[in-house]
Structure formats: structure tokens, C-alpha cells
Amino acid sequence: MDPRKSIDKPPHHDPILGVSSRWSVSSKDNKEVTFGDLGSKRIRHGSAGADSEMLSMSQKEIKDEDARLIYINDPDRTNERFEFTGNSIKTAKYSVFTFLPRNLFEQFHRVAYIYFLVIAVLNQLPQLAVFGRGASIMPLAFVLLVSAIKDAYEDFRRHRSDRVENNRLALVFEDHQFREKKWKHIRVGEVIKVQSNQTLPCDMVLLATSDPTGVVYVQTTNLDGESNLKTRYAKQETLLKAADMESFNGFIKCEKPNRNIYGFQANMEIDGRRLSLGPSNIILRGCELKNTAWALGVVVYAGGETKAMLNNSGAPSKRSRLETRMNLEIILLSLFLIVLCTIAAATAAVWLRTHRDDLDTILFYRRKDYSERPGGKNYKYYGWGWEIFFTFFMAVIVYQIMIPISLYISMELVRIGQAYFMTNDDQMYDESSDSSFQCRALNINEDLGQIKYLFSDKTGTLTDNKMEFQCACIEGVDYSDREPADSEHPGYSIEVDGIILKPKMRVRVDPVLLQLTKTGKATEEAKRANEFFLSLAACNTIVPIVSNTSDPNVKLVDYQGESPDEQALVYAAAAYGFLLIERTSGHIVINVRGETQRFNVLGLHEFDSDRKRMSVILGCPDMSVKLFVKGADSSMFGVMDESYGGVIHETKIQLHAYSSDGLRTLVVGMRELNDSEFEQWHSSFEAASTALIGRAGLLRKVAGNIETNLRIVGATAIEDKLQRGVPEAIESLRIAGIKVWVLTGDKQETAISIGFSSRLLTRNMRQIVINSNSLDSCRRSLEEANASIASNDESDNVALIIDGTSLIYVLDNDLEDVLFQVACKCSAILCCRVAPFQKAGIVALVKNRTSDMTLAIGDGANDVSMIQMADVGVGISGQEGRQAVMASDFAMGQFRFLVPLLLVHGHWNYQRMGYMILYNFYRNAVFVLILFWYVLFTCYTLTTAITEWSSVLYSVIYTAIPTIIIGILDKDLGRQTLLDHPQLYGVGQRAEGYSTTLFWYTMIDTIWQSAAIFFIPMFAYWGSTIDTSSLGDLWTIAAVVVVNLHLAMDVIRWNWITHAAIWGSIVAACICVIVIDVIPTLPGYWAIFQVGKTWMFWFCLLAIVVTSLLPRFAIKFLVEYYRPSDVRIAREAEKLGTFRESQPVGVEMNLIQDPPRR
Amino acid sequence: SSTAASSTVGGGGSSEISGVKKTSKRPKYSRFTQQELPACKPILTPRWVILTFLVAGVVFIPLGVICLFASQGVVEIVDRYDTDCIPTSSRNNMVAYIQGEGDKICKRTITVTKAMKHPVYVYYQLENFYQNHRRYVKSRNDAQLRSPKEEHDVKTCAPEDNVGGEPIVPCGLVAWSLFNDTYSFSRNSQQLLVNKKGISWKSDRENKFGKNVFPKNFQKGAPIGGGTLNISKPLSEQEDLIVWMRTAALPTFRKLYGKIETDLHAGDTITVLLQNNYNTYSFNGQKKLVLSTTSWLGGRNDFLGIAYLTVGSICLFLAVTFAVLYLVKPRQLGDPSYLSWNRSAGGLQ
């Protein structure tokens, strides 16, 4: 039979459908797979060509109730039964009318605001009215207003972009022709024509394309950020019919809208024939059509139901460790608050009880109101039970700032400021990808300073993921000499029809091998070499894109594909004269040293992680049918023809050498198929590829059947270069006490080799390797390892290397504990052959067993689960798309930026935030205690000498700005010091910046300071003519000065902003006090001027300031001088320049060590 | 906060628009964005700390001495009369006596122990009187005191807001409880004039208490709390009221009654005729009459002087202690060998 014809022939009616008369076979696990779910992860390994998961998704069948029915080209009928969303999108949250209620509703989701609100509402009860209306509502109203303005502005911008989006035009088939229609009017069921370089308006099932085989190429940059082209297919059945749209009738039954951009399952029925549709048949909103003149599709999801819009959500919100830890202290403060209120209520009760007979005659109480009736009724007195109750709640209102709600708002502001500086850090800007640092999560900045475990992906994270073809092994002979990088050789190019074609990337070639291929098919060796490169050029899913250059006669060939390994191989083949020029689903065109040859692609078995190989069946120009297979060595040697044992052996030796050098290896094999074999394969392939149930499994089986008895062609070695600065970065992080785990899919030799070159492993490390094939042996080796580390007690120098198979036995098992114990004692851990789902498992293993912080860094979709699992997720925005970035909390361009990120910014942020929290506790508690002490002298009623406005403004204006400024700007140590001495990072790991002990010290200091502020003036003015307002003003100003000086004492770097904030706050507070005192209708009129002109006032102020800060100053000095922390010593050394004189010994020694090469 | 990230994925339009501008995303370099602003980095070195304490001590001790001198220079005569001014027969029911009708004149004799230069201030001192009681301080209306237009604004003044529907001016418990004991002094049976002008704050007289606000319905209600007011004088001239309305901060307080504008000599005997009207008996409040001179620092109160001396001595003590410590057990600043990792490494060798 003619293989060329067979591929175009529509497949016959599927036999399986005949058995199953139902539309669908329900599957139990038909669960929605979301963006970040494991099920949708594409496994990238070796020559990963396509998503094996995609296929497996499509076999799951759709239940009727979970389906939507779309009549092709019949939007009226489609939409009459179901209420499908139109295509207009609305990302804006509010309209003019809903803005106020909705925005308020959303804002009150924050606990802090609810607290404000409850207090404000309590205050509105006449019995509890402590503050005036204005003073009680002002802070809340202010915060709400600011947030509302911000939200309104953002929403306005969204409205504008929505309008632009909704009014774009698309060609829709209507009234027998394609007409332009606004995006917002597009309905589900309509047929749309998209032209090259246009953006897709909605999710569509492909019906036909300009390509006769039904292939389209789409760029999904807007969706997942990946810039390479993806292939999508129209079904053969619809391809022909689409020419005549009028008669097109059929329907699609597809799953309900969901967020999984890599999954789609549907069935289509045309003319009574049922077809199964998968993710490769759908093109999604936001993608761009490339390399295809036009495509026709029927709308299945529109507007807000498109996958792009469903994925349109922000970064996951995490809570920082510090904030979680802080909750304990918040609870302590609440208890403290309750105690204060109880004391106030109880003492008030005792007073009322002892004076119960005199209440009517006490001049300052006078219970009875005689103005209404002669006998008098009680005025604002509800019995002493109620009085206790009211006093308690009034106390809550008065002492409300004991719980530093403003701290939450300050923390948010500080984090925004910190994020600004991280984003703008020049040292975290990646020139090659033009990307600066991104802070996607705004609430875990300070977690960066406490990382103890680092989980890193290898490919693309430690390495550049720019694959470079290094060595070839053909027939067991190694060709790995390469011309020097600066050679004059112009690189391969070829002239076709007067146009010079050039591969975009130059590959350095081995001159011997090049010569060999040029000799044509003269020798057996040369024939093998040609076969080798032909298979490299053909056996892949790369799409060549020919682009123009400035010279009209020269065109560049750019290879686009999903796997960088394949790209490297195809470029290599091109350099040796096998230039892939064209690929459609039916054929490929390869220019072999000037001679253009056309090969029919008769079948393609895509890569999957079970087989770990891919294969292609080509109909060659000489009418032979050949099978080319390419895959990982572990999977390839099993399917080789044993008769080539010698070559296999030689190849194995070479492979070992390659992977020891850290190269990624692939093995290529081939076989010529005879007619009967082909025929047999073809029929089973046809059956499998149209099967509705278990299609992926069937295809895998078909592939497995044909991929046998291969003749070994050769092996390739690709170098995945380490990123710049990776070894130094790992060294720094290790010195910083961070345990680095590298998780890679590579095999053990490659992984260990990369481990050495990245300085994760050093020569003086003892390696413990665990390769087990059963639970028992795994347990045994782990326990042995545990024992050996325990006995040797050289914990610093042990590296654990464990492979994915062993991990299968370890994870979800009691062995997890053993592994964790072992891992704790090791300084480096290398996990090789790890499947993506295991990555998250390993992170979880550590995270669940320790309170230490974990950080995961990765660049690919396979790292998403790990990034989301870890406390802090960092995405590398590199070669492999943006999925890791989308799931991450922080994103950056290079692995080495981790060093400034953690050691510098993390350290700073942690120190700043830790101090800020303690300071805010102190600042508010001081004020509350001053108010409390006064209550003991006002007959236990909640009079405040400090005016209500000052109480409200205290935490908003008087003292707020300096702490925010310090939280953003202060640096305990300079950048260079922190980078030079990674050990300083330990401060955060040991949680020295914030702890319950520190909290208690702070609170004791708080009590002393508040007592000094309160009692000095009280005793000084006892029995004098001082009035409430004057004394209140003194207390206010004293508190503000002390609190700000306290901060000033702890500031490490004084720049002009710090000066302005601290001194400015004191001045602002004084101005506010003055402004409040010039209002004649307030009782405190002119008090500040009256009291300010007395010497007593200033003497009290001076005494207060010195007395309150004296203990802190003395103890701070003693501790810093006699119990210096590392930070303190480093700060001194930084200032006095003593670091340069005596270089620390321990650091440099490790840096000098060369990575050993095998 | 989720909005910041949301525009990246979907809504192809917005991301396309931003994609058009192809400018480098390299952050603009400035010393500010790189957090490299010039800054001063003070550290607490022993010298600085010792010097600070030394200075503080040296400044505080003289200040303390000055304060003590000022306080000691004040001559103060205090005479408690609340119980003594009740006839012995009524001592077991003092409240009834004070609420009863009749003249409650009481005669006190005071001996001047030390010469007092004029002006000699006459205060009444109340103890255990909570003029800062919440219920009490809230029961007033400052607007009403200032302008006749606001006289009906009495809702904060309950229970002393109006009488028979008519508003009370000045309303509220504070005004109602106006102190109404009166004193007249004589030395050697010669009247000593008490100047009651200018005993209140000038700012209060001029801006807080209205010149055209006159008392109305004051002390007309059933229980009479304290003093009455001359209804023909505007509030701005009722200085006793103005003084009283400046509520005291602490439960033991003095209020200025007047000034004696002549010197008093040591050994002078002063006879005080006082009207004991004010009821502090129901809450064990004490009443004292105080004659006192004043210093630049205020009245007689040694506390501040002692506080300054104490703090000053502590500072000096700390300065000396730290100096000794520093000499005996110094630590070289910024010596990297003190760093924890260097220390442990050194220990191993």
C-alpha cells in the first residue's frame, strides 16, 4: 500500500463506539484539574515532545450533567437551551452604583477593619461613648477612604481596558458569509475565522485551517508566557466539510468550563459520526495564530468562561512566618488588655459599692437628676452590675490600641516599600532576559530572611536551559572534539533556489565527523553518521520557521519547539548538513547537503514519561519505511537488538563518560519496517488514535509494540550550561546555613557531576548514595546511612544522593522520618530521577517535620507544585515559560540572585519587620499604660487627661511615620558585609530578630517607660493647681518624644529621610497638640501655652525622657558590648574597617577548592 | 492586592497594550533605589556611652540642687479645717450640719513661721475630690459658656441641664458644684485685702467665657451644689467660676482663691474668718486653706529636685561603673574573631 495516501484517508468508523451506544462512559475520577494541579503538569524530560497528560485527559468521558452542548454554526439553537456567557468580558469589579457597598464589603474582610468597626460601633452606644463621634470614626474612615480611592482608580483602568478588549473585531460566519463583529457580541456556537497574527477572541474547537493537514501554530505567550509555538490540529473529518459552512451541521459535547489550560475533553458528532476531541484540538482565548494563514473554529467557551479568564487570578496569598508567630503575642496583648479592663471595672465596682449610700450627695457624682421630677431619677446609672459591664467595655474602647491594629496597616505599607526596593535592585536585574525582580506576593517579604531549606530544580534553574550539542557517539565511536569557539568557520548555510538558508544558531562541529558526513555514503561509517544526523533532524517535534534578514537573499531558519534538547539536536544536525526546512503534520522537508528531500511522516509516537522515548515513522524518498526512535538510555537499551552487543557496550561506556561530565544524553535507534509490519502497525495505530476510551494507553501500547529490535545508531550528549554565578551562589547559601536540596530529573551521574560543578558537592564530602528497588532495601540503606552519620559525627561533610525510585518507597511511608533524620545531618542532598509530583512530596516531607522555613525555586511547569508547597516559592523567568513565575511568590531572572535576595534583602526585611513589630507593640502599650495609670487616680472612671483627638492621632500621626520609614529603609548591615559573610544570615534562621523573650523584655521596658512618663509629672504636680488638659498635654508630648527617641536610639543608619521622619513626627505632634488647644470650645483651650511657659513643664519633660530611656540605654550598651551579636560585631567591623585587615579563614578556604572532574 | 497580578494572564488586550512599549525594564539607578543614601552610622562605643552618662550626671545633679533650692525657698502654710470647723456637737453627722441652714462661720488662726514676700497666694486645697471623675468632667458645655446663642445647648450637661424646662447657664455638674467657702483674713485685727482679680487664665477670660453671657437659672434646682453667681456679672468676670471650671487633673488639688498683696512677716498671726459652706463631708473630702509664696518652678514640692538628684547620681554611678568595666574587661570593637562562626572554628583548632 502506498504510505503516502494512507495518512490523508479519514479513519473508519470507530468500532468501539459501536459497542458503547451511550455518548459517554462516565469515569469516576472526572475531577477538574486546575492550573496548579499536578495532573496538568507537563513532564519535561529529554526529548519531551508533547504532553502525555493531554492525551490521557481526553480519554475520560463526560457525563451528561457535566457537559455543555454546542451546535456548530447554530448559535441560536446552542444558546436557547443553556445560558452560556457571551463573549464580553468584565474584569472590572464595580459599577458606579455597586462601588460603595461592594467596596466596603470587601474592605471589611480584613480582621483589622472589623476590629476598628466594632470599637467604633461600641463607642456609638450612649452608655459607652468615650470618644466623640468624629474622633471614634476618623481613623477607620480615613483608611477606608484611601483604600476606596485606590480601588476606584484601579477599577477605572480595568473598565477602560475591558472596553478596548470588548470592542475588538473578529470575522464571524453569519448570513452565509464572514462578517466583522465586535468581540463582545460573539456567541457560543458561532464559527469564527482567525487570520495569521490575530489574537483569538474566545476558546474555539478547530474545524479547518489553511494547512491541508489541519495543523495550526499558536503562540501562548499571553496565556502561560511560553513564546515557542504550539501545534494544534483540526480533525480530518471537519477539514473537508468546512469548505462549505452552510451545510456544516453537527454538535460538540464538551466539559463545563474549567481552569485547566492543558486539558480539554469533548466529543463531536458530524453527520452521525462521533469524534473525540482533546486539548490539541482547541485554541484558547489570548493566544495568537502564527505561521498559518487562517483557521476556522467554533466557539465553545466565551467571555468569562474561557480558560484564560478563569485563570485570571492573582498570586496565592501566603502568611508570613513572622506574622503567624506574632499572633501569639497579639493574644498575650489581648489578655493584657482584658486584665487592664477587668482591673478598671473591678476597682470601679468596689468604689461604687463602698460609696453606694452617698452617690446622690457626692458632688462629682450626683446620681439623681431632679430636673424631670421632684423625687429625681437616676441619671446614667443603671445599677452597679451594669456599671461594671459598661466600665469594662468603655475600658476596651479607651485601651483599644493595646492591640496594634495599625500595625497591620503599617506592615502592609512597609512591605510595599520593601518590595519597591527589591524590585528596583540593580543587582537583581537580569540583562539577558531584560527582567527585573518581581514581588508577586506582598506579604512574605520577611520570610526571605529565615530560610533554612532550599529546594532547587536543576534544569533552567541552576543551568541556563540553553542546550548545546557537545558530543556524538556513533557506532560506539566518540566524536567530541570541537572547533574552537572563535573559529573563522562561518557556520553551515545552503543555497536553495537562489536563497541562502542559514540556521539561526551556530553549532561548533567536530571536524572529523563533519568530514565523515561529507564523504556521503561511501563507507559504512559514513552511512551510519548520515543515518544518525537524519534521525536527529527527523525524530522530533520541532517546527522550523524561516524568517527574513536584512539581506533579501539570506533567510534564517529558526527552530521552535517545546524541548530545548530537541532544538539543540536539530541545530546540530543542520550544522552537519541536515537542514530541516519544513514540517507539517504529514511530511517534513530536509535539505541534505544541498539536496532537498521530502519524507512523509506516517506516524509519530509522542514522548511520554512511561516509555521515556519518542519515535517517528518516515516514508523515505527511496520508498522504504523507517522507524526512528530517540530516548533516554535506560529505556532505549531494553529495546535494542541484542546482536549489536559490541556497539551497545561501547556506547554505554561513552554514555557513562558523558554523563559523568554533566552532559545530558540520549540514545538514538532505528529500524526499517517491512510492509507487513507497517500494515499491522498502521491499523492498530489508526484504531488507537481514534479510540474514545483509553486512547493514550492504546497509543502507548502501539508504540511499545513497534519500538523493538532497534539497531543502535548512536548517542548524543548535550551540555546544559550552568548559569553564571551558580557555584558561588550555592557556596554562599551553604555558608549561610541553608540546606540546599537539588531535585532533578537527570540521571545519577549527570546529577552528581552537576553537583560538583555547582559546588553543591565538594571533594571532602562523604557521599551516601541510595538506590533501592524495594521498600526493605530502601529502609536498610537509609538506616545504615543514619547510623553511619551518627557514628562518624562529621555532619558537615556528608552528601546524600537518592534517586526517584527510592523516593517512591520513602514518600508516603514511615521511611519519611528516617530520610528526614538523615537529611538533617547532611549538608547537601541531591535527588535525581525525580518525577514532578515527587518534588512537592519532598518539600512537604521537610515542611511537615520542621518549623524551619523552606524555599523552592524552579523555572518550569514541573516545579509549580513544589513552588506552591514551599513556604516561599521563587520562579525563574527563563526559557521554560512563565508557569513557575505565575505560581511563585517572587520571580527573578537568574539563580544567583537568590544570594542578594536572601542574604541581603531577606536579612534586612526580617530585621526590619521583627523590630517594627516589637516597636509597635511597645509604642501602643506605652500609651495605653499611661491612660491606665491615670484611671487609678480618677476614681476608676475612664477619664483621659490626653484629649481624645490626641489618642486617635497618636498611632496615626504622632508616631506612625518613623516606624514605617525605618521598616523600609533601615539597614543593620551594609550589602557588601552581608554578601561577604553569609553566616550573618543565621540571625533570621535562629529567629533572633523577634521572639517571645524579646517581647517580654520589651514589655517590661514598656511598663517602666510608661510609669516614668506618668508618675514623674504626677508626683511633681501633686497637690498643685495643674488642670487636666495641661497635664494631658504634658503626657502627650512626653510620650511622643520618648517613643520617638526610643526609636531613634535603635536606628542604625541615619539618612536625611530618617531624620526628617523622626524629628518631623515630634514637631508634627506638637503642632497637633497646639492646634487642638486653640479651639475655644474644647475644655483644654490654651492649656499648652499656659503650661508651656512654666519651667516645671520643661523640667518634667527632661526628667521623663532621661529616666524612661536610661535603663534601655544602659542595658542595650552592656548587651552589645559584652554579649555582642554577630550583627553587632559585623557592624563595628564595617564601620571601623577591621574586616579587611583580618580576612575570615573559614570562608575563603572552601571557595578555592576546585570541583573535581572524573 | 490581587489586582496587581491579575492583568498578566488573561485579558489579552491589556497585556498586549503594555507589550507594545519595548523599553528596558532595567530599574533606574539612583542611590535611593539602591538603598545607598549617604547615612551616618553611629555605634554605641564605650567612650560615647560613658561620656553620655557623665554629661547626664553632671547636668542633672546641679539641676536637682537648683530645683530643691527653688522648692525649699517657697514658704507654705497649710491649715486643714474641714473637721475643725464643725461644732463638736455635730461631728457625728457632719453632712447634716453642712446641709443645714444657718451661718457656718468658723474662725481659724494661722501663725506665719517664715517671712513671706508678696504676693502671697491664697489657695483652697481639696483632697479626695475627684474633679477628674468621668461623669463630672463630661457634665459641662463649653460652647454655652462662650456665646449666649448656645445657651440651649445643654444636652451634655445632665443632670444639671435645665430647671423647669429653662436652660441653666452655666450648666452641668462642674459649675453646679462651684466651691463656695469664703475666707477673710486679718492680721493684728487689721484687714488683709485679698485680691481676687486675675486669678484665672487670661485666655479663659478673654476667649472661653463670654463677656455677654450671664448666669441664668443657676442653682435654682432642688439640690444646691455649691456657690451662686452674681447674675449681673458676665461669666468672663466670674473668676472663681473660671478657676473652678479648669478641672483639676488629680484628686488632690489646689485652686487659687486670691492674692494677698502685702508681705507677711515671721511670727505674724493671721486670723481667718471663713464660711464653711462646701460639702466635702459626704465623701470624706478634706478642705485645706493654703497660704503660699511661689518660686520660678512653682509651689513647694521637693519631688522633682530629688528625682533629678537620683537620676543624676545613677548616671554618674553608671558612668563610673562602665568606665571601670571598660578598663578591666575591654573588648576590641569590630574584631572579627568574636564572630560566632570564627569563635567555634577557633575552638576546634
Side-chain angles (χ1 to χ4, degrees), chain A residues 144-171:
Chain A
L144 287 179
L145 185 73
V146 170
S147 311
I149 289 174
K150 194 194 92 200
D151 290 347
Y153 175 68
E154 278 176 1
D155 208 52
F156 169 72
R157 286 181 31 174
R158 276 193 293 265
H159 268 293
R160 222 170 36 187
S161 82
D162 281 356
R163 208 163 36 241
V164 172
E165 186 88 341
N166 284 333
N167 288 325
R168 296 170 78 174
L169 296 172
L171 282 175

Side-chain angles (χ1 to χ4, degrees), chain A residues 1015-1037:
Chain A
F1015 286 104
I1016 288 176
M1018 194 199 81
F1019 286 125
Y1021 282 111
W1022 188 259
S1024 76
T1025 56
I1026 192 77
D1027 64 298
T1028 318
S1029 313
S1030 303
L1031 198 53
D1033 287 344
L1034 173 57
W1035 277 325
T1036 311
I1037 288 175

Side-chain angles (χ1 to χ4, degrees), chain A residues 533-769:
Chain A
F533 286 113
L534 176 64
S535 57
L536 293 192
C539 183
N540 53 54
T541 53
I542 294 291
V543 183
I545 293 182
V546 181
S547 54
N548 296 322
T549 59
S550 50
D551 184 353
N553 289 328
V554 180
K555 290 199 170 177
L556 276 186
V557 184
D558 182 15
Y559 293 122
Q560 291 264 357
E562 292 177 36
S563 150
D565 297 65
E566 286 194 340
Q567 275 174 307
L569 293 179
V570 178
Y571 276 119
Y576 285 100
F578 289 76
L579 188 67
L580 176 71
I581 300 176
E582 193 185 335
R583 169 184 296 275
T584 67
S585 58
H587 69 270
I588 54 176
V589 177
I590 298 177
N591 183 303
V592 185
R593 279 189 303 281
E595 178 196 345
T596 305
Q597 294 183 6
R598 183 187 160 102
F599 298 84
N600 284 311
V601 181
L602 305 177
L604 182 87
H605 300 285
E606 296 193 59
F607 179 88
D608 67 63
S609 51
D610 288 350
R611 276 159 56 234
K612 294 201 177 93
R613 54 179 182 255
M614 70 160 296
S615 58
V616 60
I617 295 174
L618 292 185
C620 298
D622 60 0
M623 301 305 281
S624 62
V625 178
K626 282 177 184 158
L627 165 75
F628 292 97
V629 189
K630 178 183 75 183
D633 49 358
S634 60
S635 71
M636 288 296 286
F637 286 122
V639 295
M640 289 293 177
D641 190 340
E642 295 293 320
S643 58
Y644 299 96
V647 181
I648 292 175
H649 181 68
E650 291 293 315
T651 311
K652 276 185 177 168
I653 292 173
Q654 287 303 330
L655 281 176
H656 186 77
Y658 293 158
S659 49
S660 301
D661 281 346
L663 302 176
R664 298 156 72 93
T665 57
L666 286 171
V667 175
V668 186
M670 67 152 303
R671 179 155 73 100
E672 201 157 321
L673 300 182
N674 57 35
D675 276 359
S676 67
E677 271 177 322
F678 177 74
E679 208 52 51
Q680 195 190 344
W681 166 82
H682 186 250
S683 59
S684 50
F685 182 72
E686 286 290 298
S689 54
T690 49
L692 279 181
I693 308 150
R695 186 160 62 186
L698 286 172
L699 278 171
R700 200 152 47 226
K701 218 170 123 196
V702 173
N705 285 338
I706 194 85
E707 290 162 353
T708 53
N709 287 322
L710 302 176
R711 179 160 55 78
I712 185 155
V713 177
T716 62
I718 297 166
E719 188 185 9
D720 186 4
K721 274 200 171 152
L722 277 185
Q723 284 181 12
R724 199 153 69 82
V726 164
E728 292 80 5
I730 289 193
E731 183 79 26
S732 279
L733 295 175
R734 260 240 313 277
I735 298 171
I738 297 172
K739 295 215 158 135
V740 182
W741 296 50
V742 170
L743 316 178
T744 169
D746 283 336
K747 58 178 175 289
Q748 201 162 310
E749 293 81 9
T750 317
I752 290 176
S753 157
I754 288 279
F756 275 112
S757 58
S758 63
R759 284 196 215 150
L760 178 69
L761 306 177
T762 55
R763 206 193 270 287
N764 57 0
M765 275 184 182
R766 193 157 58 89
Q767 292 178 14
I768 295 178
V769 182

Side-chain angles (χ1 to χ4, degrees), chain B residues 251-270:
Chain B
T252 296
F253 63 90
R254 287 174 187 175
K255 292 216 171 274
L256 192 54
Y257 180 81
K259 287 177 276 186
I260 297 175
E261 305 277 13
T262 44
D263 289 354
L264 300 179
H265 311 291
D268 281 355
T269 309
I270 294 166

Side-chain angles (χ1 to χ4, degrees), chain B residues 156-174:
Chain B
T156 57
C157 287
E160 202 54 39
D161 46 358
N162 48 44
V163 91
E166 283 294 303
I168 300 171
V169 182
C171 69
L173 283 183
V174 184

